[in-house]
Amino acid sequence: MTRSEAEPDHRGGLRWAYNTNGLSSHRLDDALELLADHGYAGVALTLDVAHHDPFAPELARRTAALADRLRGLGLGSVVETGARFLLDPRRKHHPTLVSADAADRARRVAFLRLCVDVAADLGSEAVSFWAGVLAPGLDRDEAWRQLLFGVAAVTEYARGRGVTVAVEPEPGMLVDDLDDWSALQAEIPDVALALDTGHCIVSGRWAPADAVRAFAPQLGAVAVEDMPRGVHDHRAPGEGDMDLGAVVSALRAVDHRGLVSLELSRDSHRADRLVPEAIATLRALEAP
């Protein structure tokens, strides 16, 4: 019997997941079965051209079928929204909530609302999204006002669908670090935190484990990976400067119950090795 045919067994520890942006050479169903067979508790589903394209026909039917498949494999989910060229095939991550053009910003809001619909129908734990890079020539204060407008619109819509929305601080974006997120959350209290612990050694004043402890009540989604200090480069465990053991210990100390996702978007070509190796490494770090 394969892992996917058995009852879920997450050993009472952290609930590890893997982001499908690191499985882009796999069909989605094959990727999900791979994760289940290696003992993952869930998937961070990046809606993209190859994996559950939200703009392809029959989205509701496909989402219902995917929800059944996830249940059958014993996998939870979070919905990720960082696809590179889904909205514009010529401009990476365009448009954003802080694009200069109002129609572009509205298009991003509409996309995020659609992601909320998918998350609601899947029973996902959260929808994670980021602010975007400040557009050239756009005043930061004006961009911040536009960001608040967009995040509030998505949050209000998600509230009506019973979905948690979590904003992720991304190095180089308008919400760059945890202090920026705190300023955002002060204006929009319903928004949760999507914490990528690797980003903490690139931007901001918070050490990764300290961030987990300080922001535990606000965590809506969590991602881990290795990363070189000061360089936004997602790497497999053991290939950067992260103290992953400290992060794992902090997550256990705060009794984090949500999924904890590995995001290795540049490593789809070796996912067959990284999927089993990464969870083995992380579970070893959990051992007393």
Side-chain angles (χ1 to χ4, degrees), residues 15-202:
R15 299 173 58 241
W16 299 110
Y18 202 99
N19 196 316
T20 57
N21 65 9
L23 290 157
S24 61
S25 296
H26 284 71
R27 298 178 184 88
L28 180 57
D29 193 66
D30 291 338
L32 296 177
E33 187 165 348
L34 182 68
L35 297 182
D37 285 347
H38 287 290
Y40 285 83
V43 60
L45 176 64
T46 295
L47 302 184
D48 207 344
V49 293
H51 287 159
H52 208 65
D53 184 346
F55 301 119
E58 299 187 339
L59 177 61
R61 180 195 61 77
R62 291 186 291 112
T63 301
L66 178 56
D68 287 343
R69 183 61 168 149
L70 291 171
R71 281 191 293 270
L73 292 171
L75 295 174
S77 65
V78 294
V79 169
E80 300 283 348
T81 62
R84 292 178 173 92
F85 297 103
L86 181 64
L87 298 183
D88 189 327
R90 292 175 175 83
R91 296 177 64 183
K92 179 181 175 182
H93 291 158
H94 179 80
T96 75
L97 294 175
V98 293
S99 291
D101 185 76
D104 283 340
R105 295 194 299 272
R107 197 148 59 93
R108 173 61 67 168
V109 169
F111 165 63
L112 294 175
R113 285 172 167 163
L114 186 59
C115 294
V116 167
D117 289 336
V118 172
D121 292 344
L122 292 178
S124 300
E125 295 181 5
V127 172
S128 170
F129 63 95
W130 33 247
V133 176
L134 182 65
L138 190 63
D139 177 75
R140 180 181 171 83
D141 290 340
E142 176 60 22
W144 189 261
R145 286 190 289 272
Q146 298 297 349
L147 176 66
L148 292 176
F149 179 84
V151 173
V154 176
T155 302
E156 181 180 2
Y157 184 79
R159 187 186 306 119
R161 298 235 49 193
V163 172
T164 296
V165 292
V167 171
E168 179 180 5
E170 281 273 355
M173 293 194 178
L174 187 61
V175 178
D176 176 272
D177 60 20
L178 287 162
D179 291 337
D180 292 333
W181 178 86
S182 295
L184 177 68
Q185 197 259 350
E187 300 275 358
I188 306 174
D190 283 354
V191 74
L193 171 64
L195 175 64
D196 187 317
T197 55
H199 294 169
C200 294
I201 65 171
V202 180

Side-chain angles (χ1 to χ4, degrees), residues 206-250:
W206 292 89
D210 291 343
V212 169
R213 287 187 286 266
F215 291 89
Q218 290 85 33
L219 293 177
V222 177
V224 296
E225 67 280 315
D226 217 329
M227 198 167 288
R229 186 169 298 280
V231 180
H232 189 192
D233 184 6
H234 290 236
R235 295 185 182 178
E239 297 181 357
D241 299 320
M242 278 284 292
D243 186 349
L244 285 170
V247 172
V248 169
S249 294

